[in-house]
Amino acid sequence: MNRRQQTNRFYKTGFFIVLTILMIILSILLIGAIRLFGNVASDPRERPTTNSENEELLSFQMTLDQSNLLLDNLLEEDIPFYFYLAEDGVYLEGEVDAVLSSIDVAMRFEPTVQEDGSLLLEADNLSAGFLSISPETALRMFNQIAELPEWIYLYPSEEHVVIDLRMIEELEPFGLRFNDVNLSEDVLDISLIQ
């Protein structure tokens, strides 16, 4: 009889231990899903309006390698993603923390020079590990986890990024503007403006 009571107590204890472990795992998954796919404020940081008719002081051309070196030096090290230019587009790659691991996210953008000299990057392709997420969701996650430099603007709902080199504080009172971006020809035409 005593042995039977010990066996029943063992099963009851085991049941509650397994139930507790399952509740903890379920809670972690729920918190992770809320954190990963939670609704982030959709109001992007607004770009200040600047005079697009600034005086051009110097015009120069850069190759993709030189541009990537410049981007590496301009981006802060604590940003969890990086931009780089290739012949087939501009890439944004990084890691997003998920529930039990991190997800590698890579986006490809098609660059277009705007009239004001900024570079509009329109999302063209996205890969996010094994997950199926939209470029809008990926940009929202990047916007949530990173403090961006003052010259990078993410617009998740429009699925694009704007790089405005005129806003780099370290260059004031000068700025840089894009004149032409031809990645297939390995040429970026940039002007120093005042």
Side-chain angles (χ1 to χ4, degrees):
M1 186 77 160
N2 194 13
R3 185 174 178 108
R4 188 176 206 171
Q5 286 179 342
Q6 285 179 344
T7 304
N8 284 342
R9 199 173 323 148
F10 172 75
Y11 286 123
K12 287 179 184 178
T13 306
F15 171 76
F16 286 114
I17 290 173
V18 169
L19 183 64
T20 303
I21 291 173
L22 287 175
M23 295 299 287
I24 291 172
I25 291 173
L26 185 61
S27 298
I28 290 172
L29 290 174
L30 184 63
I31 291 170
I34 289 171
R35 210 174 131 212
L36 182 62
F37 298 108
N39 192 7
V40 180
S42 61
D43 295 334
R45 195 169 40 122
E46 290 297 319
R47 286 193 310 154
T49 56
T50 59
N51 183 6
S52 62
E53 299 299 320
N54 295 327
E55 181 183 352
E56 182 178 312
L57 302 174
L58 173 70
S59 183
F60 55 95
Q61 292 185 343
M62 299 173 67
T63 65
L64 294 179
D65 290 337
Q66 292 166 337
S67 302
N68 286 330
L69 183 62
L70 177 64
L71 274 174
D72 284 343
N73 288 327
L74 289 175
L75 287 175
E76 299 170 13
E77 291 182 18
D78 59 341
I79 294 179
F81 60 86
Y82 61 98
F83 281 103
Y84 69 91
L85 289 80
E87 288 181 4
D88 61 338
V90 178
Y91 288 85
L92 169 71
E93 294 183 353
E95 285 186 350
V96 176
D97 289 332
V99 180
L100 300 173
S101 65
S102 59
I103 301 169
D104 291 329
V105 176
M107 298 181 75
R108 187 173 80 78
F109 296 91
E110 194 63 40
T112 305
V113 176
Q114 298 191 87
E115 283 185 34
D116 65 357
S118 61
L119 188 64
L120 174 70
L121 304 174
E122 296 183 81
D124 187 35
N125 190 7
L126 168 72
S127 67
F130 62 88
L131 291 180
S132 175
I133 61 174
S134 68
E136 178 181 355
T137 303
L139 287 174
R140 284 187 195 281
M141 289 188 296
F142 280 128
N143 202 17
Q144 182 181 16
I145 62 174
E147 187 171 322
L148 298 171
E150 68 276 2
W151 46 274
I152 296 178
Y153 302 89
L154 298 182
Y155 296 95
S157 57
E158 291 89 7
E159 297 183 356
H160 67 252
V161 176
V162 175
I163 297 179
D164 193 349
L165 298 179
R166 297 172 301 158
M167 298 295 138
I168 299 176
E169 286 182 8
E170 291 81 9
L171 294 178
E172 286 185 2
F174 304 101
L176 297 173
R177 64 174 278 137
F178 291 97
N179 296 322
D180 185 33
V181 174
N182 190 341
L183 299 177
S184 61
E185 298 288 324
D186 194 23
V187 172
L188 273 79
D189 188 8
I190 300 176
S191 293
L192 178 67
I193 57 173
Q194 181 177 17

